[in-house]
Amino acid sequence: MGKQEFRKAMSKFATGITVVTSELDNEIQGMTVNAFMSVSLDPQLITISLDSKTNFYQNADKIKRFGVSILREEQQEISMIFAKQIEKEYKDFTNLDGIPVIDHALTTLACSVVNTVEAGDHLLIIAEVDEIKLDEGNPILYYNSTYKRISDK
């Protein structure tokens, strides 16, 4: 099997979309991440997967805390900005436990890194959730390499 076939097979798994944010050198950094999952209830742990080509991967050793914003269906453009699909500046952040997160996201998490694991061309970051803010709405989804909504058929 080739890389493209593997990528296509993995695109058949529907995921939510998050934007991961952190402050580095007094500047907010963010990236769209759909490789996100809960790991443990006790302690409350999540993991994200970072591509080796990203700024977050390159600075992972400096990032001790970060935010995860689970995006709502109205926030597709925000996902595209942080995925560098749209060239536009985004500044509508709020703080959760001192961490910058996307304002009005479906759910936001403030997290502290507890472990990292090299996995091929990615880095898995395991983090403990320090604070959560929940909101109402529907998530934006990613399926078959395209954005979807729960109401889509």
Side-chain angles (χ1 to χ4, degrees), residues 4-153:
Q4 285 307 107
E5 185 178 17
F6 182 75
R7 180 184 297 260
K8 186 170 180 148
M10 294 302 101
S11 78
K12 300 301 181 182
F13 181 69
T15 64
I17 298 178
T18 70
V19 170
V20 175
T21 46
S22 188
E23 197 161 346
L24 188 61
D25 300 327
N26 295 320
E27 188 176 320
I28 297 173
Q29 306 283 324
M31 66 178 286
T32 298
V33 173
N34 70 336
F36 159 84
M37 68 178 207
S38 63
V39 175
S40 169
L41 288 175
D42 188 17
Q44 295 163 339
L45 301 175
I46 57 96
T47 191
I48 59 173
S49 180
L50 304 177
D51 188 307
S52 64
K53 299 180 210 96
T54 65
N55 190 44
F56 263 81
Y57 180 99
Q58 303 300 324
N59 291 291
D61 58 329
K62 298 177 196 161
I63 297 171
K64 304 301 178 208
R65 298 193 73 218
F66 62 89
V68 177
S69 301
I70 300 172
L71 300 184
R72 63 178 65 247
E73 60 187 9
E74 298 86 2
Q75 295 176 313
Q76 178 177 329
E77 181 177 275
I78 296 169
S79 169
M80 296 173 81
I81 291 168
F82 285 101
K84 300 190 184 337
Q85 297 169 330
I86 294 177
E87 197 167 318
K88 186 176 180 182
E89 194 169 354
Y90 182 85
K91 294 284 185 187
D92 198 13
F93 297 99
T94 189
N95 275 301
L96 180 65
D97 197 31
I99 302 297
V101 292
I102 303 296
D103 203 13
H104 304 294
L106 190 58
T107 298
T108 52
L109 312 172
C111 306
S112 296
V113 175
V114 296
N115 201 1
T116 60
V117 178
E118 291 285 341
D121 61 359
H122 279 63
L123 179 69
L124 303 178
I125 297 184
I126 301 166
E128 186 162 3
V129 177
D130 303 315
E131 189 71 41
I132 294 174
K133 180 178 180 275
L134 299 169
D135 208 338
E136 296 296 320
N138 290 323
I140 185 75
L141 304 175
Y142 202 67
Y143 171 74
N144 205 22
S145 300
T146 189
Y147 292 95
K148 299 285 186 182
R149 297 173 188 260
I150 287 179
S151 61
D152 287 349
K153 293 188 172 130

